[in-house]
Amino acid sequence: TNVSVEETQSAFADFFDEYVDPERPTDGPFYHSYLERLLENDDFAVNLDCCHIRSYDERLYFKLLNFPQEVVPIADLAVHELYLRLHPDSDGEELGGKRFTVRCFKLGREDRLRDLDPNDINKLVSIRGMVTRSSSVIPDLYMAFFECSVCTTPHQVFISRGEIAEPQVCTNSACQAKQAMRLVHNRSKFADKQIVRIQEAPEHIPEGETPQTCSMCAWE
């Protein structure tokens, strides 16, 4: 893709710092007060209204819709940096190892389930329907904790584009053993995941046709 991490991160930083709710302009930057409310409730899920982004920076909105795999993690990082700016005396340890995650909603358009096609792959879309089935909660690895089997040096790796890159060389300069890392499951971090079966909304079903369904993954 042509997404610049530095440029996109800077754009999100400006957005989170400067966006003001037009209905409540005297409240100051919207996401400053919103983040503080989340912290008071020990909540790390940032519901990001995409209409806010579109009104502030349409180019950033376009990137978010077309390259969500690259852009959403950058937004997560920008929120964490906003927290550090709002709490300059903090090193982030009081978060207890938790990380802020951005959840996008209100994209400005809604697609019918039956209208999705290959052009929508790897893009951010909004659909409406009914959940007809859901699986039990499944642990989903998002941070792998590796330990060198030679010198026990730890190494943390976060998931990137659906993959965990196992370290090939120990990071300890006095060791540098190759292919000596072992995964420590009880020190790794997992997110709760469910597989959900969704059926298209009744008003989207043409008369006489069978409702379309699809499976999707949902993370907490």
Side-chain angles (χ1 to χ4, degrees):
T1 68
N2 59 353
V3 174
S4 166
V5 174
E6 183 177 347
E7 179 185 329
T8 305
Q9 188 172 337
S10 176
F12 269 115
D14 292 343
F15 166 72
F16 287 127
D17 265 337
E18 299 174 3
Y19 179 79
V20 175
D21 186 349
E23 296 182 0
R24 306 179 69 177
T26 58
D27 289 354
F30 175 84
Y31 286 94
H32 285 205
S33 56
Y34 177 47
L35 188 62
E36 294 300 327
R37 292 198 301 273
L38 291 179
L39 289 168
E40 289 175 2
N41 297 317
D42 197 32
D43 187 356
F44 295 88
V46 180
N47 293 316
L48 180 60
D49 188 333
C50 292
C51 289
H52 292 175
I53 297 181
R54 188 173 189 177
S55 65
Y56 179 83
D57 185 342
E58 195 154 348
R59 188 163 172 259
L60 183 61
Y61 171 80
F62 174 83
K63 287 182 181 179
L64 178 63
L65 261 59
N66 289 279
F67 308 107
Q69 282 189 318
E70 292 81 5
V71 174
V72 171
I74 297 174
D76 294 344
L77 181 59
V79 171
H80 183 73
E81 291 188 344
L82 172 62
Y83 164 79
L84 295 178
R85 288 198 302 275
L86 294 177
H87 302 83
D89 297 330
S90 168
D91 55 9
E93 289 187 1
E94 62 273 23
L95 298 181
K98 297 180 180 178
R99 296 174 67 88
F100 292 102
T101 54
V102 168
R103 296 177 176 178
C104 303
F105 73 102
K106 200 181 289 187
L107 302 188
R109 72 171 213 184
E110 185 177 273
D111 296 303
R112 298 194 310 170
L113 183 61
R114 63 178 55 236
D115 291 336
L116 297 179
D117 59 35
N119 290 327
D120 295 311
I121 293 175
N122 292 330
K123 293 186 179 180
L124 195 61
V125 298
S126 175
I127 58 174
R128 186 153 51 93
M130 301 181 297
V131 174
T132 59
R133 187 185 310 163
S134 62
S135 72
S136 56
V137 175
I138 305 167
D140 190 56
L141 180 68
Y142 73 86
M143 190 282 286
F145 187 97
F146 290 95
E147 187 177 75
C148 178
S149 58
V150 177
C151 68
T152 70
T153 296
H155 192 86
Q156 297 181 358
V157 180
F158 285 90
I159 189 170
S160 176
R161 298 180 66 87
E163 297 182 354
I164 294 284
E166 179 180 350
Q168 298 300 305
V169 180
C170 178
T171 54
N172 184 349
S173 59
C175 176
Q176 294 189 324
K178 295 182 179 179
Q179 298 182 340
M181 291 291 179
R182 62 175 176 232
L183 180 65
V184 183
H185 287 85
N186 63 351
R187 298 190 66 182
S188 298
K189 295 186 183 298
F190 298 82
D192 290 339
K193 180 178 79 171
Q194 283 184 289
I195 299 175
V196 177
R197 191 73 175 173
I198 189 170
Q199 178 178 295
E200 64 182 326
E203 61 269 25
H204 293 167
I205 306 172
E207 186 175 352
E209 294 199 19
T210 303
Q212 297 290 314
T213 62
C214 75
S215 294
M216 58 183 62
C217 294
W219 286 267
E220 183 178 355

